Amino acid sequence: MSYILETGQLCKKFGAFTAVNNITVKVPALSVYGILGANGAGKTTTLKMLCGLSRPTSGSIRIDGEELQFGKTHDSRLGFVPDVPQYYKWMKPRELMLFVGNLHHKQGPSLTSRIDELLHKVGLEGCNQKIGSLSRGMKQRLGIAQALISEPTILVLDEPTSALDPIGRSEVMDLIRSLAGELTVLLSSHNLHDVEEICDRILMMDQGRVIADDSLLSIKSQFALNTLELQTEDMYLLQSAASLLSGHSEVLEVEILEDKQSLSISVVNLRAAQIYIPSMMSSAGIPLSLFKVTEPTLEQFFLKMVTAR
Ligand code: ATP
């Protein structure tokens, strides 16, 4: 596997306080890599070091095998979008894009067509409003467009959806999803659902340290729960099923989830339960409308990892 970004024992101290503690990670090229962590875990500090905006106290950063030197001129291989992008309010999106393009020494028809392409990609092609009057979601999408002007190989987004309403969030999520496969996306978030939806690899941080670094698939399989979900046509049948299952020696716990009108069944052996539960229901004449293994969520995994420390 080729890695576009690698860090070696990266540390950042603020006085005696260690905000980022020995982070060694490898980001596969073209992945959508999510950095997860609670408030203060060290996500933003890590991203700022990766983007050359903050000097590491120690450790190394390599982009495409080449060591990043802090203080060198801006590295156009990285595009950065802060959590709440702030731009000149009096500019219009196209003017901002021209300004940023010029900063990257781009000019002429190639810049104009790149701007057209990017504004179209982020859904702002017809927007003639001043930036000051744009919604937060539009500003976030413009932030992504301006970060792509330099044709970076890595797009870094710091909590891209944290300040957005559900519509803005969904638009930004769709946009990030559409970029997958074109370039490497590295984003931080404390929203587990967002990360679960779009990231293929996850770095979990807690108090400046890495507590997990793996693919979403692998994290979920390591954290498989011995729990099944069962639904019947009505509450009466559900209660009958619950009392039947409670008497089984291999059933550890049966919980009625009123909101979902379903049972959560915790068992000793998942494979065995997938056979005896339908058979018990069939013998009792209880038709099942749903019966499935409960998928572990990233939230459950995160809580387990954090509380285990
Ligand atoms: P959030 O989700 O709240 O943005 P985060 O995971 O991005 O949190 P950071 O902003 O990286 O966390 O902060 C990590 C720790 O470092 C926090 O305890 C923060 O107070 C501290 N910190 C960050 N910047 C500085 C600074 N310039 N001076 C001193 N401490 C700082």
Side-chain angles (χ1 to χ4, degrees):
M1 191 184 288
S2 73
Y3 298 101
I4 189 87
L5 181 68
E6 294 172 68
T7 71
Q9 300 192 313
L10 195 62
C11 286
K12 179 75 188 184
K13 290 189 180 196
F14 295 108
F17 176 71
T18 306
V20 174
N21 200 345
N22 272 325
I23 303 261
T24 296
V25 290
K26 291 179 173 193
V27 178
L30 299 181
S31 58
V32 181
Y33 196 96
I35 303 187
L36 262 177
N39 290 127
K43 305 179 295 294
T44 302
T45 309
T46 303
L47 290 186
K48 281 187 174 169
M49 286 191 283
L50 298 180
C51 293
L53 300 170
S54 170
R55 184 195 289 273
T57 307
S58 58
S60 62
I61 301 168
R62 286 177 170 271
I63 297 178
D64 230 350
E66 195 187 318
E67 185 120 2
L68 195 78
Q69 302 290 336
F70 180 79
K72 261 184 72 176
T73 44
H74 179 70
D75 196 318
S76 59
R77 289 171 301 180
L78 279 159
F80 179 64
V81 190
D83 50 354
V84 184
Q86 304 283 353
Y87 304 113
Y88 294 117
K89 293 190 170 98
W90 48 267
M91 275 189 181
K92 293 180 177 175
R94 180 168 287 277
E95 291 166 342
L96 175 83
M97 297 291 279
L98 265 173
F99 175 68
V100 176
N102 293 158
L103 289 177
H104 284 285
H105 309 294
K106 291 183 180 290
Q107 274 147 6
S110 65
L111 175 59
T112 314
S113 67
R114 178 86 184 137
I115 291 174
D116 288 341
E117 181 199 331
L118 289 171
L119 287 177
H120 176 72
K121 188 172 203 84
V122 303
L124 292 174
E125 65 273 42
C127 177
N128 202 27
Q129 287 169 240
K130 289 188 175 158
I131 293 174
S133 71
L134 300 183
S135 70
R136 282 186 168 184
M138 290 162 98
K139 279 187 196 149
Q140 191 64 253
R141 285 185 279 132
L142 180 61
I144 294 175
Q146 65 77 34
L148 294 174
I149 281 259
S150 66
E151 298 178 57
T153 43
I154 309 172
L155 178 67
V156 180
L157 303 132
D158 190 11
E159 305 203 1
T161 58
S162 64
L164 305 182
D165 65 19
I167 295 171
R169 173 192 167 274
S170 145
E171 286 168 350
V172 167
M173 294 284 282
D174 285 346
L175 177 55
I176 298 172
R177 221 177 267 115
S178 77
L179 296 169
E182 285 178 27
L183 75 174
T184 306
V185 178
L186 184 63
L187 61 93
S188 75
S189 179
H190 40 70
N191 187 324
L192 296 134
H193 300 293
D194 284 4
V195 169
E196 200 162 8
E197 245 182 68
I198 49 172
C199 295
D200 39 44
R201 204 172 168 91
I202 287 156
L203 179 81
M204 278 190 190
M205 290 183 73
D206 185 42
Q207 297 173 33
R209 291 180 188 273
V210 173
I211 55 169
D213 179 14
D214 217 330
S215 69
L216 183 60
L217 224 59
S218 167
I219 284 180
K220 285 196 163 183
S221 66
Q222 282 169 41
F223 189 56
L225 301 165
N226 275 6
T227 309
L228 296 131
E229 188 181 344
L230 180 153
Q231 278 178 5
T232 55
E233 282 162 11
D234 57 44
M235 280 307 273
Y236 172 75
L237 288 171
L238 201 66
Q239 269 151 4
S240 310
S243 58
L244 257 177
L245 289 166
S246 306
H248 195 287
S249 62
E250 296 234 326
V251 172
L252 301 172
E253 197 183 343
V254 181
E255 192 188 348
I256 297 183
L257 308 171
E258 301 246 351
D259 53 336
K260 289 161 87 182
Q261 294 219 348
S262 68
L263 292 185
S264 171
I265 311 154
S266 179
V267 295
V268 174
N269 182 312
L270 201 59
R271 278 182 75 84
Q274 284 173 278
I275 297 167
Y276 66 73
I277 293 179
S279 150
M280 282 169 77
M281 296 303 123
S282 161
S283 306
I286 300 176
L288 300 180
S289 44
L290 180 141
F291 181 60
K292 63 173 187 149
V293 175
T294 310
E295 276 250 326
T297 64
L298 204 51
E299 190 166 346
Q300 287 161 328
F301 178 77
F302 182 68
L303 291 173
K304 188 184 167 204
M305 295 298 289
V306 171
T307 48
R309 279 165 56 81

